[in-house]
Structures are given as C-alpha cells and as structure tokens.
Amino acid sequence: MPAEASTSRPAASPLTARQEARRRRILHASAQLAGRGGFDAVQMREVAESSQVALGTLYRYFPSKVHLLVATMQDQLERMHGTLRRRPPAGDTPAERVAETLMRAFRALQREPHLADAMVRALTFADRSVSPEVDQVSRQTTAIILDAMGLDDPTPEQLSAVRVIEHTWHSALVTWLSGRASIAQVKMDIETVCRLIDLTTPRE
C-alpha cells in the first residue's frame, strides 16, 4: 500500500437491494471458509466462486482479504448485537450486564475458533487503508457495550471507560486464541475492567 494512502475514502453510495444481497453472500462465504480453515483458508478466488460473483466484483467490494475479514467481523458483531437485543443481559448493575454481554460474545466466538482467529488476525494486520472497516468494528462493539449499560448519552469519561473495556476484550481474545489465557482468566479480566463503569458513573 503506498505511503500516501489516505485513512479515508470517498463516501460510498448506498447499496441497492441487489448489491446488498451480493455483499451478504460474500460475507457469508468468507465466514464459512474462515470457519473451516482459519485465515489461510480465505482465498479471494474461492470466496468469489462460493458467493457466485466475479473476482473483479469481489475486489470492488473488498480490496483485500484483510478488508474482507474485518468486514466479516463487523457483520458477526452485528448479528451478535441483534441476539443480545432479543435476549438482554440480566445483571443488576451496568458493570455486570456489560461483563455478561462480553462473555456471551466471547463464547459465541469460542464456538468458531478458526473464524475468530481469522478475524482477529485480520484486525491485527489492518493498516490505514482498512480504517473504515476497523472503525465499523469499533463502533459496533461500542454500541453493544452502551446497550448493555443502558446509556444513550454517555459522558466523555464513560466513553473512555468503554474504549478501555474494548481494548481489554480484544486483548483477552488474542491471548485466548494464542493459548496464553484460559476462559477463567478471560472472565476475570473482563469482570475486572468492567468495574471502570462504576468509577465513571456520574454521581447524583
């Protein structure tokens, strides 16, 4: 990627129903291939064949495999968000609800370790050209956490806490995938960092 590549792209026009259906087929194919064999199993030609689109069309939607897998992660998080809205966390406090939410998301990824590894590796490899897709992942994660907190208008301090929680969740996922952390350790780390929510809650 040239050094002068910008972190932003021209605003994309809204997709037509046909284009959106094509994009969904591509993301589904990406997730299926990654789920079977991880990062290396996602080859753009195979994704194109599986989703029944031309290879050139695939590259117009996603310029690289990293772009595609980061977008796949955003799509998976969006699906999780829908499930969480249908079955909200039951904790008594915002911190408990966020911890429960993130552990439920973690366990969903745990059931698909090859897919989780592929998406996390793509996030790790992402350079500035992938910033729009990475930002979408971050926004989706933030929305999941804020929903669990029951917040529509967080303070700057609360948003800072949310960012730290996101970083910890991502780091916990990386260490678990690499075999350097157990599920119990992940749970403890997430519950610990969620205490920041109590510390940043405005006092009456």
Side-chain angles (χ1 to χ4, degrees):
M1 184 60 59
E4 65 271 15
S6 171
T7 59
S8 61
R9 300 180 200 155
S13 302
L15 298 179
T16 65
R18 186 175 179 182
Q19 289 171 329
E20 180 59 32
R22 185 182 297 133
R23 184 177 185 275
R24 299 224 62 81
R25 292 202 309 273
I26 292 169
L27 292 172
H28 178 73
S30 170
Q32 290 286 102
L33 288 168
R36 289 200 291 266
F39 185 86
D40 293 334
V42 181
Q43 301 298 322
M44 296 296 270
R45 187 172 298 279
E46 288 188 38
V47 172
E49 291 174 359
S50 181
S51 57
Q52 300 180 321
V53 301
L55 186 59
T57 301
L58 173 60
Y59 276 109
R60 284 199 295 275
Y61 280 82
F62 303 103
S64 73
K65 179 165 79 170
V66 170
H67 287 82
L68 173 58
L69 281 169
V70 174
T72 301
M73 185 166 196
Q74 191 276 331
D75 184 60
Q76 294 293 311
L77 288 171
E78 188 175 335
R79 290 169 183 268
M80 288 180 199
H81 198 181
T83 300
L84 289 163
R85 280 175 166 164
R86 289 190 295 273
R87 293 192 298 112
D92 293 330
T93 68
E96 289 174 356
R97 293 195 297 273
V98 171
E100 180 188 335
T101 292
L102 292 179
M103 284 308 298
R104 281 169 60 181
F106 182 86
R107 290 190 182 100
L109 293 172
Q110 185 187 3
R111 290 191 290 271
E112 295 272 7
H114 291 306
L115 174 58
D117 182 65
M119 295 187 300
V120 170
R121 285 178 65 182
L123 272 180
T124 303
F125 296 153
D127 61 17
R128 288 186 300 171
S129 72
V130 198
S131 288
E133 289 81 5
V134 172
D135 288 345
Q136 286 285 349
V137 168
S138 180
R139 279 194 290 271
Q140 189 66 61
T141 309
T142 297
I144 289 171
I145 293 172
L146 291 176
D147 262 13
M149 292 171 67
L151 276 184
D152 294 321
D153 188 24
T155 66
E157 291 78 12
Q158 287 173 317
L159 280 176
S160 180
V162 168
R163 285 193 296 273
V164 175
I165 291 168
E166 285 181 38
H167 297 327
T168 302
W169 184 74
H170 180 260
S171 177
L173 188 56
V174 169
T175 54
W176 174 75
L177 286 167
S178 63
R180 293 182 286 118
S182 66
I183 301 299
Q185 288 171 318
V186 168
K187 187 172 185 292
M188 183 179 295
D189 288 352
I190 288 175
E191 288 176 348
T192 299
V193 76
C194 284
R195 293 174 190 163
L196 286 174
I197 294 170
D198 296 331
L199 296 176
T200 55
T201 299
R203 301 198 181 278
E204 296 296 336

